[in-house]
PDB file of all heavy atoms in Angstrom:
ATOM      1  N   LEU A 341     123.888  87.724  43.001  1.00 89.00           N
ATOM      2  CA  LEU A 341     122.668  87.012  43.395  1.00 89.00           C
ATOM      3  C   LEU A 341     121.880  87.794  44.436  1.00 89.00           C
ATOM      4  O   LEU A 341     120.673  88.007  44.299  1.00 89.00           O
ATOM      5  CB  LEU A 341     123.032  85.643  43.987  1.00 89.00           C
ATOM      6  CG  LEU A 341     123.157  84.462  43.043  1.00 89.00           C
ATOM      7  CD1 LEU A 341     123.525  83.205  43.841  1.00 89.00           C
ATOM      8  CD2 LEU A 341     121.839  84.243  42.318  1.00 89.00           C
ATOM      9  N   ALA A 342     122.591  88.233  45.491  1.00 91.00           N
ATOM     10  CA  ALA A 342     121.910  88.910  46.591  1.00 91.00           C
ATOM     11  C   ALA A 342     121.256  90.194  46.097  1.00 91.00           C
ATOM     12  O   ALA A 342     120.075  90.446  46.376  1.00 91.00           O
ATOM     13  CB  ALA A 342     122.904  89.216  47.707  1.00 91.00           C
ATOM     14  N   PHE A 343     121.996  90.991  45.346  1.00 88.00           N
ATOM     15  CA  PHE A 343     121.419  92.244  44.867  1.00 88.00           C
ATOM     16  C   PHE A 343     120.419  91.993  43.746  1.00 88.00           C
ATOM     17  O   PHE A 343     119.530  92.816  43.516  1.00 88.00           O
ATOM     18  CB  PHE A 343     122.516  93.225  44.454  1.00 88.00           C
ATOM     19  CG  PHE A 343     123.230  93.812  45.647  1.00 88.00           C
ATOM     20  CD1 PHE A 343     124.577  94.108  45.602  1.00 88.00           C
ATOM     21  CD2 PHE A 343     122.541  94.068  46.809  1.00 88.00           C
ATOM     22  CE1 PHE A 343     125.227  94.644  46.707  1.00 88.00           C
ATOM     23  CE2 PHE A 343     123.173  94.601  47.922  1.00 88.00           C
ATOM     24  CZ  PHE A 343     124.520  94.888  47.864  1.00 88.00           C
ATOM     25  N   GLY A 344     120.544  90.873  43.061  1.00 86.00           N
ATOM     26  CA  GLY A 344     119.537  90.500  42.066  1.00 86.00           C
ATOM     27  C   GLY A 344     118.184  90.295  42.741  1.00 86.00           C
ATOM     28  O   GLY A 344     117.146  90.737  42.227  1.00 86.00           O
ATOM     29  N   VAL A 345     118.194  89.634  43.898  1.00 90.00           N
ATOM     30  CA  VAL A 345     116.946  89.428  44.652  1.00 90.00           C
ATOM     31  C   VAL A 345     116.352  90.776  45.051  1.00 90.00           C
ATOM     32  O   VAL A 345     115.156  91.023  44.879  1.00 90.00           O
ATOM     33  CB  VAL A 345     117.230  88.569  45.911  1.00 90.00           C
ATOM     34  CG1 VAL A 345     116.021  88.561  46.836  1.00 90.00           C
ATOM     35  CG2 VAL A 345     117.607  87.157  45.514  1.00 90.00           C
ATOM     36  N   VAL A 346     117.222  91.662  45.554  1.00 89.00           N
ATOM     37  CA  VAL A 346     116.749  92.997  45.943  1.00 89.00           C
ATOM     38  C   VAL A 346     116.182  93.723  44.722  1.00 89.00           C
ATOM     39  O   VAL A 346     115.137  94.378  44.796  1.00 89.00           O
ATOM     40  CB  VAL A 346     117.912  93.817  46.559  1.00 89.00           C
ATOM     41  CG1 VAL A 346     117.457  95.229  46.878  1.00 89.00           C
ATOM     42  CG2 VAL A 346     118.427  93.130  47.812  1.00 89.00           C
ATOM     43  N   ALA A 347     116.882  93.564  43.581  1.00 84.00           N
ATOM     44  CA  ALA A 347     116.465  94.264  42.364  1.00 84.00           C
ATOM     45  C   ALA A 347     115.088  93.798  41.903  1.00 84.00           C
ATOM     46  O   ALA A 347     114.267  94.604  41.447  1.00 84.00           O
ATOM     47  CB  ALA A 347     117.489  94.049  41.269  1.00 84.00           C
ATOM     48  N   ILE A 348     114.820  92.485  42.018  1.00 86.00           N
ATOM     49  CA  ILE A 348     113.510  91.974  41.609  1.00 86.00           C
ATOM     50  C   ILE A 348     112.413  92.611  42.466  1.00 86.00           C
ATOM     51  O   ILE A 348     111.397  93.085  41.963  1.00 86.00           O
ATOM     52  CB  ILE A 348     113.467  90.434  41.727  1.00 86.00           C
ATOM     53  CG1 ILE A 348     114.378  89.815  40.659  1.00 86.00           C
ATOM     54  CG2 ILE A 348     112.046  89.920  41.567  1.00 86.00           C
ATOM     55  CD1 ILE A 348     114.459  88.310  40.723  1.00 86.00           C
ATOM     56  N   LEU A 349     112.660  92.651  43.790  1.00 89.00           N
ATOM     57  CA  LEU A 349     111.696  93.269  44.704  1.00 89.00           C
ATOM     58  C   LEU A 349     111.474  94.728  44.330  1.00 89.00           C
ATOM     59  O   LEU A 349     110.331  95.197  44.204  1.00 89.00           O
ATOM     60  CB  LEU A 349     112.242  93.212  46.138  1.00 89.00           C
ATOM     61  CG  LEU A 349     111.872  92.003  46.979  1.00 89.00           C
ATOM     62  CD1 LEU A 349     112.514  92.130  48.358  1.00 89.00           C
ATOM     63  CD2 LEU A 349     110.360  91.929  47.114  1.00 89.00           C
ATOM     64  N   GLN A 350     112.603  95.434  44.131  1.00 88.00           N
ATOM     65  CA  GLN A 350     112.529  96.858  43.836  1.00 88.00           C
ATOM     66  C   GLN A 350     111.775  97.089  42.523  1.00 88.00           C
ATOM     67  O   GLN A 350     110.910  97.957  42.430  1.00 88.00           O
ATOM     68  CB  GLN A 350     113.943  97.426  43.744  1.00 88.00           C
ATOM     69  CG  GLN A 350     113.986  98.930  43.650  1.00 88.00           C
ATOM     70  CD  GLN A 350     115.397  99.432  43.418  1.00 88.00           C
ATOM     71  OE1 GLN A 350     116.095  98.959  42.524  1.00 88.00           O
ATOM     72  NE2 GLN A 350     115.818 100.389  44.213  1.00 88.00           N
ATOM     73  N   ALA A 351     112.110  96.283  41.510  1.00 86.00           N
ATOM     74  CA  ALA A 351     111.488  96.450  40.200  1.00 86.00           C
ATOM     75  C   ALA A 351     109.991  96.162  40.271  1.00 86.00           C
ATOM     76  O   ALA A 351     109.176  96.851  39.657  1.00 86.00           O
ATOM     77  CB  ALA A 351     112.160  95.539  39.185  1.00 86.00           C
ATOM     78  N   LEU A 352     109.618  95.120  41.052  1.00 88.00           N
ATOM     79  CA  LEU A 352     108.203  94.786  41.203  1.00 88.00           C
ATOM     80  C   LEU A 352     107.447  95.950  41.833  1.00 88.00           C
ATOM     81  O   LEU A 352     106.420  96.401  41.302  1.00 88.00           O
ATOM     82  CB  LEU A 352     108.056  93.540  42.090  1.00 88.00           C
ATOM     83  CG  LEU A 352     108.097  92.185  41.399  1.00 88.00           C
ATOM     84  CD1 LEU A 352     108.070  91.064  42.431  1.00 88.00           C
ATOM     85  CD2 LEU A 352     106.905  92.053  40.446  1.00 88.00           C
ATOM     86  N   VAL A 353     107.973  96.439  42.948  1.00 90.00           N
ATOM     87  CA  VAL A 353     107.292  97.515  43.671  1.00 90.00           C
ATOM     88  C   VAL A 353     107.200  98.764  42.795  1.00 90.00           C
ATOM     89  O   VAL A 353     106.123  99.362  42.651  1.00 90.00           O
ATOM     90  CB  VAL A 353     108.035  97.818  44.995  1.00 90.00           C
ATOM     91  CG1 VAL A 353     107.463  99.074  45.654  1.00 90.00           C
ATOM     92  CG2 VAL A 353     107.938  96.634  45.946  1.00 90.00           C
ATOM     93  N   ALA A 354     108.313  99.141  42.158  1.00 88.00           N
ATOM     94  CA  ALA A 354     108.331 100.377  41.358  1.00 88.00           C
ATOM     95  C   ALA A 354     107.434 100.254  40.125  1.00 88.00           C
ATOM     96  O   ALA A 354     106.722 101.195  39.776  1.00 88.00           O
ATOM     97  CB  ALA A 354     109.774 100.706  40.950  1.00 88.00           C
ATOM     98  N   SER A 355     107.455  99.076  39.475  1.00 88.00           N
ATOM     99  CA  SER A 355     106.631  98.904  38.270  1.00 88.00           C
ATOM    100  C   SER A 355     105.156  98.955  38.624  1.00 88.00           C
ATOM    101  O   SER A 355     104.354  99.620  37.945  1.00 88.00           O
ATOM    102  CB  SER A 355     106.939  97.563  37.591  1.00 88.00           C
ATOM    103  OG  SER A 355     108.295  97.485  37.274  1.00 88.00           O
ATOM    104  N   VAL A 356     104.792  98.225  39.682  1.00 89.00           N
ATOM    105  CA  VAL A 356     103.395  98.199  40.101  1.00 89.00           C
ATOM    106  C   VAL A 356     102.931  99.611  40.456  1.00 89.00           C
ATOM    107  O   VAL A 356     101.855 100.053  40.048  1.00 89.00           O
ATOM    108  CB  VAL A 356     103.218  97.241  41.305  1.00 89.00           C
ATOM    109  CG1 VAL A 356     101.894  97.484  42.016  1.00 89.00           C
ATOM    110  CG2 VAL A 356     103.307  95.804  40.823  1.00 89.00           C
ATOM    111  N   PHE A 357     103.786 100.341  41.170  1.00 90.00           N
ATOM    112  CA  PHE A 357     103.447 101.707  41.564  1.00 90.00           C
ATOM    113  C   PHE A 357     103.292 102.593  40.332  1.00 90.00           C
ATOM    114  O   PHE A 357     102.339 103.370  40.222  1.00 90.00           O
ATOM    115  CB  PHE A 357     104.538 102.255  42.490  1.00 90.00           C
ATOM    116  CG  PHE A 357     104.213 103.593  43.082  1.00 90.00           C
ATOM    117  CD1 PHE A 357     103.450 103.687  44.238  1.00 90.00           C
ATOM    118  CD2 PHE A 357     104.683 104.762  42.499  1.00 90.00           C
ATOM    119  CE1 PHE A 357     103.144 104.915  44.790  1.00 90.00           C
ATOM    120  CE2 PHE A 357     104.375 106.003  43.045  1.00 90.00           C
ATOM    121  CZ  PHE A 357     103.609 106.077  44.200  1.00 90.00           C
ATOM    122  N   ALA A 358     104.226 102.453  39.377  1.00 89.00           N
ATOM    123  CA  ALA A 358     104.200 103.312  38.193  1.00 89.00           C
ATOM    124  C   ALA A 358     102.962 103.049  37.347  1.00 89.00           C
ATOM    125  O   ALA A 358     102.325 103.983  36.851  1.00 89.00           O
ATOM    126  CB  ALA A 358     105.459 103.093  37.356  1.00 89.00           C
TER     127      ALA A 358
END
Side-chain angles (χ1 to χ4, degrees):
Chain A
L341 271 180
F343 286 145
V345 169
V346 176
I348 291 177
L349 269 180
Q350 189 186 50
L352 272 175
V353 171
S355 303
V356 164
F357 187 85

